[in-house]
Coordinates of all heavy atoms in Angstrom, one line a residue:
I1 N 43.7 59.6 60.3 CA 43.4 61.1 60.2 C 43.9 61.8 61.5 O 43.5 61.4 62.6 CB 41.8 61.2 60.1 CG1 41.3 60.4 59.0 CG2 41.5 62.7 59.9 CD1 39.8 60.2 59.0
N2 N 44.7 62.8 61.3 CA 45.1 63.5 62.5 C 44.4 64.8 62.6 O 44.4 65.7 61.8 CB 46.6 63.8 62.3 CG 47.5 63.0 63.3 OD1 46.9 62.4 64.2 ND2 48.8 63.0 63.1
M3 N 43.6 64.8 63.7 CA 42.9 66.0 64.1 C 43.4 66.6 65.4 O 43.8 65.8 66.3 CB 41.4 65.7 64.2 CG 40.7 65.4 62.9 SD 38.9 65.3 63.2 CE 38.6 63.6 62.9
N4 N 43.4 67.9 65.5 CA 43.7 68.5 66.8 C 42.5 68.4 67.7 O 41.4 68.1 67.3 CB 44.4 69.9 66.7 CG 43.4 70.9 66.1 OD1 42.2 70.8 66.5 ND2 43.8 71.8 65.4
S5 N 42.8 68.8 69.0 CA 41.7 68.7 70.0 C 40.5 69.5 69.6 O 39.3 69.0 69.8 CB 42.2 69.2 71.3 OG 43.3 68.3 71.8
S6 N 40.6 70.7 69.1 CA 39.5 71.5 68.8 C 38.7 70.9 67.6 O 37.5 71.0 67.6 CB 39.8 73.0 68.6 OG 40.6 73.1 67.5
E7 N 39.4 70.4 66.7 CA 38.7 69.7 65.5 C 37.9 68.5 66.0 O 36.8 68.3 65.5 CB 39.8 69.3 64.4 CG 40.3 70.5 63.7 CD 41.5 70.0 62.7 OE1 42.3 69.2 63.2 OE2 41.5 70.5 61.6
I8 N 38.5 67.7 66.8 CA 37.8 66.5 67.4 C 36.6 67.0 68.1 O 35.5 66.4 67.8 CB 38.8 65.7 68.3 CG1 39.9 65.0 67.4 CG2 38.0 64.7 69.1 CD1 40.9 64.3 68.3
K9 N 36.7 68.0 68.9 CA 35.5 68.4 69.7 C 34.4 68.9 68.7 O 33.3 68.6 68.9 CB 35.9 69.5 70.7 CG 34.8 70.0 71.5 CD 35.2 71.0 72.6 CE 34.0 71.3 73.4 NZ 34.3 72.3 74.5
E10 N 34.8 69.7 67.7 CA 33.9 70.2 66.8 C 33.2 69.1 66.0 O 31.9 69.1 65.9 CB 34.7 71.1 65.8 CG 33.8 72.0 64.9 CD 34.6 72.9 64.0 OE1 35.4 73.7 64.6 OE2 34.4 72.9 62.8
K11 N 33.9 68.0 65.7 CA 33.3 66.9 64.9 C 32.4 66.1 65.9 O 31.3 65.7 65.4 CB 34.4 66.0 64.4 CG 35.2 66.6 63.3 CD 34.5 66.6 62.0 CE 35.3 67.0 60.8 NZ 34.5 67.3 59.7
V12 N 32.8 65.9 67.1 CA 31.9 65.2 68.1 C 30.6 66.0 68.3 O 29.5 65.4 68.3 CB 32.6 65.0 69.4 CG1 31.6 64.5 70.5 CG2 33.7 64.0 69.2
L13 N 30.7 67.3 68.4 CA 29.5 68.2 68.5 C 28.6 68.1 67.3 O 27.4 68.1 67.4 CB 29.9 69.6 68.9 CG 30.5 69.8 70.3 CD1 31.0 71.2 70.4 CD2 29.5 69.5 71.3
Q14 N 29.2 68.0 66.1 CA 28.4 67.8 64.9 C 27.7 66.5 64.9 O 26.5 66.4 64.5 CB 29.3 67.9 63.7 CG 29.8 69.3 63.3 CD 30.8 69.2 62.1 OE1 31.2 68.2 61.6 NE2 31.2 70.4 61.7
A15 N 28.3 65.5 65.4 CA 27.7 64.2 65.5 C 26.5 64.2 66.5 O 25.5 63.7 66.2 CB 28.7 63.1 66.0
L16 N 26.7 64.9 67.6 CA 25.6 65.0 68.6 C 24.5 65.8 68.0 O 23.3 65.5 68.3 CB 26.1 65.6 69.9 CG 27.2 64.8 70.7 CD1 27.5 65.5 72.0 CD2 26.7 63.4 70.9
D17 N 24.8 66.8 67.2 CA 23.7 67.6 66.6 C 22.9 66.7 65.6 O 21.7 66.9 65.4 CB 24.3 68.8 65.8 CG 24.7 69.9 66.7 OD1 24.2 69.9 67.9 OD2 25.4 70.8 66.3
E18 N 23.5 65.7 65.0 CA 22.8 64.8 64.1 C 21.9 63.9 64.9 O 20.8 63.5 64.4 CB 23.9 64.0 63.2 CG 23.2 63.1 62.2 CD 24.2 62.4 61.4 OE1 25.2 63.0 60.9 OE2 24.0 61.1 61.2
I19 N 22.4 63.5 66.0 CA 21.6 62.5 66.9 C 20.5 63.2 67.6 O 19.4 62.6 67.8 CB 22.6 61.9 67.9 CG1 23.7 61.1 67.2 CG2 21.9 61.1 68.9 CD1 24.9 60.9 68.0
R20 N 20.7 64.5 68.0 CA 19.8 65.2 68.9 C 18.3 65.1 68.5 O 17.4 64.9 69.4 CB 20.2 66.6 69.1 CG 19.6 67.3 70.2 CD 20.3 68.6 70.6 NE 21.5 68.3 71.5 CZ 22.7 68.5 71.2 NH1 23.1 69.0 70.1 NH2 23.7 68.1 72.1
P21 N 17.9 65.3 67.2 CA 16.5 65.3 66.8 C 15.8 63.9 67.2 O 14.7 63.9 67.5 CB 16.5 65.5 65.3 CG 17.8 66.2 65.1 CD 18.8 65.7 66.1
F22 N 16.6 62.9 67.0 CA 16.0 61.5 67.3 C 15.7 61.4 68.8 O 14.7 60.8 69.2 CB 17.0 60.4 66.8 CG 17.2 60.5 65.4 CD1 18.4 61.0 64.8 CD2 16.3 60.0 64.5 CE1 18.6 61.1 63.5 CE2 16.5 60.0 63.1 CZ 17.6 60.6 62.6
L23 N 16.6 61.9 69.6 CA 16.5 61.8 71.1 C 15.3 62.8 71.5 O 14.5 62.4 72.4 CB 17.8 62.2 71.8 CG 19.0 61.3 71.6 CD1 20.2 61.8 72.3 CD2 18.7 59.9 72.0
A24 N 15.3 63.9 70.9 CA 14.3 64.9 71.2 C 12.9 64.4 70.9 O 11.9 64.7 71.6 CB 14.5 66.2 70.4
A25 N 12.8 63.6 69.9 CA 11.5 63.0 69.5 C 11.0 62.1 70.6 O 9.7 61.9 70.8 CB 11.6 62.2 68.2
D26 N 11.9 61.5 71.4 CA 11.5 60.7 72.6 C 11.5 61.5 73.9 O 11.5 60.9 74.9 CB 12.4 59.5 72.6 CG 12.2 58.5 71.5 OD1 11.0 58.4 71.1 OD2 13.1 57.8 71.1
G27 N 11.7 62.8 73.8 CA 11.7 63.6 75.0 C 13.0 63.6 75.7 O 13.0 63.9 76.9
G28 N 14.1 63.4 75.0 CA 15.4 63.4 75.6 C 16.3 64.3 75.0 O 16.0 65.0 74.0
D29 N 17.6 64.3 75.4 CA 18.6 65.1 74.9 C 20.0 64.5 75.3 O 20.0 63.5 76.1 CB 18.6 66.5 75.4 CG 19.3 67.5 74.5 OD1 19.9 67.1 73.4 OD2 19.4 68.7 74.8
I30 N 21.0 65.0 74.7 CA 22.4 64.5 75.0 C 23.3 65.7 75.0 O 23.1 66.6 74.3 CB 22.8 63.4 73.9 CG1 24.1 62.7 74.3 CG2 23.0 64.1 72.5 CD1 24.4 61.5 73.5
S31 N 24.3 65.6 75.9 CA 25.4 66.6 75.9 C 26.7 66.0 76.0 O 26.9 64.9 76.6 CB 25.1 67.6 77.0 OG 25.1 67.0 78.2
L32 N 27.7 66.7 75.5 CA 29.1 66.2 75.6 C 29.6 66.6 76.9 O 29.5 67.7 77.4 CB 29.9 66.9 74.5 CG 31.4 66.7 74.5 CD1 31.8 65.2 74.3 CD2 32.1 67.6 73.5
V33 N 30.2 65.6 77.6 CA 30.9 65.9 78.9 C 32.4 66.1 78.7 O 32.9 67.1 79.1 CB 30.6 64.7 79.9 CG1 31.3 65.0 81.2 CG2 29.1 64.6 80.1
S34 N 33.0 65.1 78.1 CA 34.5 65.3 77.9 C 34.9 64.3 76.8 O 34.2 63.4 76.4 CB 35.2 65.0 79.2 OG 35.0 63.6 79.5
I35 N 36.1 64.6 76.2 CA 36.7 63.8 75.2 C 38.1 63.4 75.8 O 38.9 64.3 76.2 CB 36.9 64.5 73.9 CG1 35.5 65.0 73.4 CG2 37.6 63.6 72.9 CD1 35.6 65.9 72.2
E36 N 38.3 62.1 75.9 CA 39.6 61.6 76.4 C 40.4 61.1 75.2 O 40.2 59.9 74.8 CB 39.5 60.5 77.4 CG 38.7 61.0 78.7 CD 38.5 59.9 79.7 OE1 39.3 58.9 79.7 OE2 37.4 59.9 80.3
E37 N 41.2 62.0 74.6 CA 41.8 61.6 73.3 C 42.8 60.4 73.5 O 42.8 59.5 72.6 CB 42.6 62.8 72.8 CG 41.7 63.8 72.1 CD 42.5 65.0 71.6 OE1 43.3 64.8 70.7 OE2 42.3 66.1 72.1
K38 N 43.5 60.4 74.6 CA 44.5 59.3 74.7 C 43.8 58.0 74.9 O 44.4 56.9 74.5 CB 45.5 59.6 75.8 CG 45.0 59.6 77.2 CD 46.2 59.9 78.2 CE 45.8 59.8 79.6 NZ 44.7 60.7 80.0
N39 N 42.6 58.0 75.5 CA 41.9 56.7 75.7 C 40.9 56.5 74.5 O 40.1 55.5 74.5 CB 41.1 56.8 77.0 CG 42.0 56.9 78.2 OD1 43.1 56.4 78.2 ND2 41.5 57.6 79.2
K40 N 40.9 57.4 73.5 CA 40.0 57.3 72.4 C 38.5 57.2 72.8 O 37.7 56.4 72.3 CB 40.4 56.1 71.5 CG 41.8 56.3 70.9 CD 42.1 55.0 70.1 CE 43.4 55.2 69.4 NZ 44.6 55.4 70.2
L41 N 38.1 58.0 73.8 CA 36.9 57.9 74.5 C 36.1 59.2 74.5 O 36.7 60.2 74.7 CB 37.2 57.4 76.0 CG 36.1 57.3 76.9 CD1 35.2 56.1 76.6 CD2 36.6 57.1 78.3
V42 N 34.8 59.1 74.4 CA 34.0 60.3 74.5 C 33.0 60.0 75.6 O 32.3 58.9 75.6 CB 33.2 60.6 73.2 CG1 32.2 61.7 73.4 CG2 34.2 61.0 72.1
N43 N 32.8 60.9 76.6 CA 31.9 60.8 77.6 C 30.7 61.8 77.3 O 30.9 62.9 77.0 CB 32.5 61.2 79.0 CG 33.5 60.2 79.4 OD1 33.2 59.1 79.6 ND2 34.7 60.7 79.6
V44 N 29.5 61.2 77.3 CA 28.3 62.0 77.1 C 27.3 61.8 78.2 O 27.5 60.9 79.1 CB 27.6 61.6 75.8 CG1 28.5 61.8 74.6 CG2 27.1 60.1 75.8
Q45 N 26.4 62.7 78.3 CA 25.3 62.6 79.3 C 24.0 62.7 78.6 O 23.7 63.6 77.8 CB 25.5 63.7 80.4 CG 24.5 63.5 81.5 CD 24.9 64.4 82.7 OE1 25.7 65.3 82.6 NE2 24.3 64.1 83.9
L46 N 23.1 61.7 79.0 CA 21.8 61.7 78.4 C 20.9 62.4 79.4 O 21.1 62.4 80.6 CB 21.3 60.2 78.3 CG 22.0 59.4 77.2 CD1 21.7 57.9 77.4 CD2 21.7 59.9 75.8
H47 N 19.9 63.1 78.8 CA 18.9 63.9 79.6 C 17.5 63.5 79.4 O 17.2 62.9 78.3 CB 19.1 65.4 79.3 CG 20.5 65.9 79.4 ND1 21.1 66.1 80.7 CD2 21.5 66.1 78.5 CE1 22.4 66.5 80.5 NE2 22.6 66.5 79.2
G48 N 16.6 64.0 80.3 CA 15.2 63.8 80.1 C 14.8 62.3 80.0 O 15.3 61.5 80.8
A49 N 13.9 62.0 79.1 CA 13.4 60.6 79.0 C 14.5 59.6 78.7 O 14.4 58.4 79.0 CB 12.3 60.6 77.9
C50 N 15.6 60.1 78.1 CA 16.7 59.2 77.7 C 17.4 58.6 78.9 O 18.0 57.5 78.8 CB 17.7 59.9 76.8 SG 17.0 60.3 75.2
V51 N 17.3 59.2 80.1 CA 18.0 58.8 81.2 C 17.4 57.4 81.7 O 18.2 56.5 82.0 CB 17.9 59.8 82.4 CG1 18.6 59.3 83.7 CG2 18.6 61.1 82.0
T52 N 16.1 57.3 81.8 CA 15.5 56.1 82.3 C 15.0 55.2 81.2 O 14.6 54.1 81.5 CB 14.2 56.5 83.2 OG1 13.4 57.3 82.4 CG2 14.7 57.3 84.4
C53 N 15.2 55.6 80.0 CA 14.7 54.7 78.9 C 15.5 53.4 78.9 O 16.8 53.4 78.9 CB 15.0 55.5 77.6 SG 14.6 54.5 76.1
T54 N 14.8 52.3 78.7 CA 15.5 51.0 78.8 C 16.3 50.8 77.5 O 17.3 50.0 77.6 CB 14.5 49.9 78.9 OG1 13.5 50.0 77.9 CG2 13.8 49.8 80.2
V55 N 16.1 51.4 76.4 CA 16.9 51.2 75.2 C 18.0 52.2 75.2 O 18.8 52.2 74.2 CB 16.0 51.3 73.9 CG1 15.0 50.2 73.9 CG2 15.4 52.7 73.8
N56 N 18.3 53.0 76.2 CA 19.3 54.0 76.1 C 20.7 53.4 75.9 O 21.5 54.0 75.2 CB 19.3 55.1 77.2 CG 19.8 54.6 78.5 OD1 20.3 53.5 78.6 ND2 19.6 55.4 79.5
Q57 N 21.0 52.3 76.5 CA 22.3 51.7 76.3 C 22.5 51.2 74.8 O 23.5 51.4 74.2 CB 22.6 50.5 77.2 CG 22.8 51.0 78.7 CD 23.8 52.1 78.8 OE1 24.9 52.1 78.2 NE2 23.4 53.1 79.5
M58 N 21.4 50.7 74.2 CA 21.4 50.3 72.8 C 21.5 51.6 72.0 O 22.3 51.6 71.0 CB 20.1 49.6 72.5 CG 20.2 48.7 71.2 SD 18.7 47.8 71.0 CE 17.6 49.1 70.4
T59 N 20.7 52.6 72.3 CA 20.8 53.9 71.6 C 22.2 54.4 71.6 O 22.8 54.8 70.6 CB 19.8 54.9 72.2 OG1 18.5 54.4 72.2 CG2 19.9 56.2 71.5
L60 N 22.8 54.4 72.8 CA 24.1 54.9 72.9 C 25.1 54.1 72.1 O 25.9 54.7 71.3 CB 24.5 54.8 74.4 CG 25.8 55.5 74.8 CD1 25.6 57.0 74.7 CD2 26.3 55.1 76.1
K61 N 25.1 52.8 72.2 CA 26.0 52.0 71.4 C 25.8 52.1 69.9 O 26.8 52.4 69.2 CB 25.9 50.5 71.8 CG 26.7 50.2 73.0 CD 28.2 50.1 72.7 CE 29.0 50.0 73.9 NZ 29.8 51.3 74.2
H62 N 24.6 51.9 69.5 CA 24.4 51.9 68.0 C 24.2 53.2 67.4 O 24.8 53.5 66.3 CB 23.2 51.0 67.7 CG 23.4 49.6 68.2 ND1 24.4 48.7 67.7 CD2 22.8 48.9 69.2 CE1 24.3 47.6 68.3 NE2 23.4 47.6 69.2
G63 N 23.5 54.1 68.0 CA 23.2 55.4 67.4 C 24.4 56.4 67.6 O 25.0 56.8 66.7
V64 N 24.6 56.6 68.9 CA 25.5 57.7 69.3 C 27.0 57.3 68.9 O 27.7 58.0 68.3 CB 25.4 58.0 70.8 CG1 26.4 59.1 71.2 CG2 24.0 58.5 71.1
E65 N 27.4 56.1 69.4 CA 28.8 55.7 69.1 C 29.1 55.6 67.6 O 30.1 56.1 67.2 CB 29.0 54.4 69.8 CG 30.5 54.0 69.9 CD 30.8 52.8 70.8 OE1 30.6 51.7 70.3 OE2 31.1 53.0 71.9
M66 N 28.1 55.0 66.9 CA 28.3 54.9 65.5 C 28.4 56.2 64.8 O 29.3 56.4 63.9 CB 27.1 54.1 64.9 CG 27.4 53.5 63.5 SD 26.0 52.5 63.0 CE 24.7 53.7 62.8
T67 N 27.6 57.2 65.2 CA 27.6 58.5 64.5 C 28.9 59.2 64.9 O 29.5 59.8 64.0 CB 26.3 59.3 65.0 OG1 25.2 58.5 64.7 CG2 26.3 60.6 64.2
I68 N 29.3 59.2 66.1 CA 30.5 59.8 66.5 C 31.7 59.2 65.8 O 32.6 60.0 65.3 CB 30.7 59.8 68.0 CG1 29.7 60.8 68.7 CG2 32.2 60.2 68.4 CD1 29.7 60.7 70.2
K69 N 31.7 57.9 65.6 CA 32.8 57.3 64.9 C 32.9 57.7 63.4 O 33.9 57.7 62.8 CB 32.7 55.7 65.0 CG 33.1 55.2 66.4 CD 33.0 53.7 66.4 CE 33.4 53.1 67.7 NZ 33.2 51.7 67.8
K70 N 31.7 57.9 62.9 CA 31.6 58.4 61.5 C 32.3 59.7 61.3 O 33.0 59.9 60.3 CB 30.1 58.5 61.1 CG 29.8 58.8 59.7 CD 28.4 58.8 59.3 CE 27.6 60.0 59.9 NZ 26.2 60.0 59.5
Y71 N 32.1 60.6 62.3 CA 32.7 61.9 62.3 C 34.2 61.9 62.7 O 35.0 62.6 62.2 CB 32.0 62.9 63.1 CG 30.7 63.4 62.5 CD1 29.5 62.7 62.6 CD2 30.7 64.6 61.9 CE1 28.3 63.2 62.1 CE2 29.5 65.1 61.3 CZ 28.3 64.4 61.4 OH 27.2 64.9 60.9
V72 N 34.5 61.1 63.7 CA 35.8 61.0 64.3 C 36.2 59.5 64.4 O 36.0 58.9 65.4 CB 35.8 61.7 65.7 CG1 37.3 61.8 66.2 CG2 35.1 63.0 65.7
P73 N 36.8 59.0 63.3 CA 37.1 57.6 63.3 C 38.0 57.1 64.4 O 38.0 55.9 64.8 CB 37.8 57.4 61.9 CG 37.4 58.6 61.1 CD 37.1 59.7 62.1
Q74 N 38.9 58.0 64.9 CA 39.8 57.5 66.0 C 39.1 57.2 67.3 O 39.7 56.6 68.2 CB 41.0 58.4 66.1 CG 40.7 59.8 66.6 CD 40.6 60.8 65.4 OE1 39.9 60.5 64.5 NE2 41.3 61.9 65.5
I75 N 37.9 57.7 67.5 CA 37.2 57.4 68.7 C 36.8 55.9 68.8 O 36.2 55.4 67.8 CB 36.0 58.3 68.9 CG1 36.4 59.8 69.1 CG2 35.1 57.9 70.1 CD1 37.2 60.1 70.3
E76 N 37.0 55.3 69.9 CA 36.7 53.8 69.9 C 35.5 53.5 70.8 O 34.9 52.5 70.7 CB 37.9 53.1 70.5 CG 39.1 53.0 69.4 CD 40.3 52.3 70.0 OE1 40.3 51.9 71.1 OE2 41.3 52.2 69.2
K77 N 35.2 54.5 71.8 CA 34.2 54.1 72.7 C 33.5 55.4 73.2 O 34.1 56.4 73.3 CB 34.8 53.4 73.9 CG 33.8 52.7 74.8 CD 34.6 51.8 75.8 CE 33.6 50.9 76.5 NZ 34.2 50.2 77.6
V78 N 32.1 55.2 73.4 CA 31.4 56.3 73.9 C 30.7 55.8 75.2 O 30.1 54.8 75.2 CB 30.3 56.8 72.9 CG1 29.4 57.9 73.5 CG2 30.9 57.3 71.6
I79 N 30.8 56.6 76.3 CA 30.3 56.2 77.6 C 29.3 57.3 78.0 O 29.6 58.5 77.9 CB 31.4 56.0 78.6 CG1 32.3 54.8 78.2 CG2 30.9 55.8 80.0 CD1 33.5 54.6 79.1
S80 N 28.2 56.8 78.5 CA 27.2 57.7 79.1 C 27.5 57.8 80.6 O 27.5 56.7 81.3 CB 25.8 57.2 78.8 OG 24.9 58.0 79.5
I81 N 27.7 59.0 81.2 CA 27.8 59.1 82.6 C 26.6 59.6 83.2 O 25.8 60.3 82.6 CB 29.0 60.0 82.9 CG1 28.8 61.4 82.4 CG2 30.3 59.4 82.4 CD1 29.8 62.4 83.0
E82 N 26.4 59.3 84.5 CA 25.2 59.7 85.2 C 25.3 61.1 85.7 O 26.3 61.5 86.2 CB 24.9 58.8 86.4 CG 24.6 57.3 86.0 CD 23.4 57.2 85.0 OE1 22.3 57.8 85.4 OE2 23.5 56.6 84.0

């Protein structure tokens, strides 16, 4: 699937909107930092309770990464930056 940069960003933001209510339920949030298309990478930042939560790496891998890949199949990795 060939998407341009703005389409990719829009899809990633849609994915984050789908995830946000689950994070909010635990007192946290997530925001998009950057998309590195050539590296097939999305950088996100966790906020609130999600920053110190011990399951946040699992949440990131299984929830966030999986949801973003559903919207943007060419993305291979999601990284949370501090």
